[in-house]
Amino acid sequence: GVDDPGLYDFYNDYFTYPLYKDESQTFYTALGTRKLAISTWNPIKMFRGMRNMSKRLSKKNISGNYKGEGIVQGGIIIFDAAGKARFAYREETGSEVPVEDIVAVVKELRKEGKSQIS
């Protein structure tokens, strides 16, 4: 079970697949131990960036919350059947996750897995 309130909400509302909570932050460290940073001090760019991100989240029916660690930047690591990391994506706040790239990697790993079985 998921015991962290933020993870619990994420699991129930958006991702009902098994979750792994990285208590020792091994994956976080592998992704560069990054935290949210301000990329510009231009107030107009900051406003536009926040507005655009808010619109994208709203369009996808995703609401924010104040649970958990809000400034930690994570990402996605995809492993092959042998447990070797084959793909990593480092979260960039405000940017879309490269879904097409992730799907392509998963398809390629599935092909590799099937060819090893035959």
Side-chain angles (χ1 to χ4, degrees):
V2 176
D3 59 356
D4 179 274
L7 285 177
Y8 183 79
D9 289 349
F10 175 72
Y11 175 79
N12 281 327
D13 298 341
Y14 306 109
F15 193 83
T16 56
Y17 302 96
L19 292 176
Y20 169 77
K21 184 173 180 183
D22 183 17
E23 297 282 355
S24 63
Q25 296 192 336
T26 304
F27 293 111
Y28 171 64
T29 301
L31 288 165
T33 316
R34 299 170 315 120
K35 293 192 179 216
L36 182 63
I38 296 174
S39 61
T40 181
W41 288 104
N42 180 323
I44 294 171
K45 283 186 179 181
M46 288 173 72
F47 173 77
R48 284 183 184 153
M50 293 298 289
R51 184 185 63 199
N52 291 341
M53 187 168 52
S54 179
K55 283 180 183 178
R56 279 198 318 271
L57 292 174
S58 181
K59 188 186 295 184
K60 295 177 181 184
N61 201 26
I62 297 173
S63 62
N65 65 44
Y66 295 99
K67 299 173 186 172
E69 178 59 71
I71 63 169
V72 171
Q73 290 188 294
I76 298 167
I77 302 175
I78 300 175
F79 297 87
D80 63 18
K84 180 179 177 186
R86 298 287 299 274
F87 175 87
Y89 164 73
R90 293 170 47 167
E91 175 186 12
E92 294 297 329
T93 301
S95 297
E96 294 281 335
V97 172
V99 175
E100 296 83 19
D101 294 347
I102 293 167
V103 169
V105 170
V106 170
K107 285 180 178 178
E108 182 61 30
L109 291 175
R110 281 187 177 163
K111 277 189 219 173
E112 287 178 18
K114 287 179 183 178
S115 68
Q116 290 175 0
I117 293 172
S118 346

